[in-house]
Amino acid sequence: MSRVQRKSNRRRISKLIPNVISQQVRELYRDELRKTLANSCLLAQESLTVVLEDSLTQAEYQLIQAGKAALSGQVHKDLYESIGPQSKGIFEGALLRTVVDILSDTNLETGRTDIIFMVNQVLNVSIFQCQFLSVSL
């Protein structure tokens, strides 16, 4: 395979990975949490950062409105931990790398969750961004 063909293949792969990841993350949230969300991701050399827009469930929003933000935060953390192994599997399968650490934080005011998946090897793709809007399914 020529150098030009390899470069072209890397570009195609770098465009495909975020689409695969986005679709699988949306399906995970839809199937496990009954939640439709928008998400965007940024793929970098040694990590994948995913920003989940509108990631709180209706129950979490109701707890916040009732003045129980701390309880809402704990519920969100527990829900995320319950689907954590599945989300890790999505990224390992799409990136063909082992996830060695996961960092996550949620802003209860904005409903945004940031997740950083650290991988065991430098990714063989350039840095790129992808953005997907939620679609009611």
Side-chain angles (χ1 to χ4, degrees), residues 1-18:
M1 182 180 298
S2 74
R3 184 175 182 213
V4 173
Q5 288 173 318
R6 283 193 304 269
K7 193 172 188 179
S8 176
N9 284 345
R10 278 197 303 265
R11 276 194 212 119
R12 267 191 249 124
I13 289 169
S14 69
K15 290 179 182 177
L16 178 63
I17 289 172

Side-chain angles (χ1 to χ4, degrees), residues 36-50:
T36 302
L37 51 79
N39 64 315
S40 59
C41 61
L42 170 66
L43 185 61
Q45 293 298 312
E46 296 173 346
S47 67
L48 174 71
T49 301
V50 179

Side-chain angles (χ1 to χ4, degrees), residues 2-3 8 24 26 38 62 70 74 77 97 111 117 123 126:
S2 74
R3 184 175 182 213
S8 176
Q24 290 180 351
R26 285 196 312 254
Q62 288 177 342
Q74 184 61 47
K77 180 181 176 208
R97 299 287 186 272
F117 294 87
L123 300 166
S126 301

Side-chain angles (χ1 to χ4, degrees), residues 15-73:
K15 290 179 182 177
L16 178 63
I17 289 172
N19 292 332
V20 169
I21 291 171
S22 177
Q23 181 64 31
Q24 290 180 351
V25 167
R26 285 196 312 254
E27 289 173 5
L28 176 63
Y29 267 72
R30 183 193 64 216
D31 296 346
E32 298 298 322
L33 302 179
R34 306 289 185 252
K35 174 70 182 156
T36 302
L37 51 79
N39 64 315
S40 59
C41 61
L42 170 66
L43 185 61
Q45 293 298 312
E46 296 173 346
S47 67
L48 174 71
T49 301
V50 179
V51 179
L52 302 174
E53 301 287 344
D54 190 28
S55 66
L56 300 179
T57 64
Q58 188 61 37
E60 292 166 282
Y61 280 120
Q62 288 177 342
L63 287 169
I64 291 169
Q65 290 173 349
K68 298 180 179 179
L71 180 57
S72 177

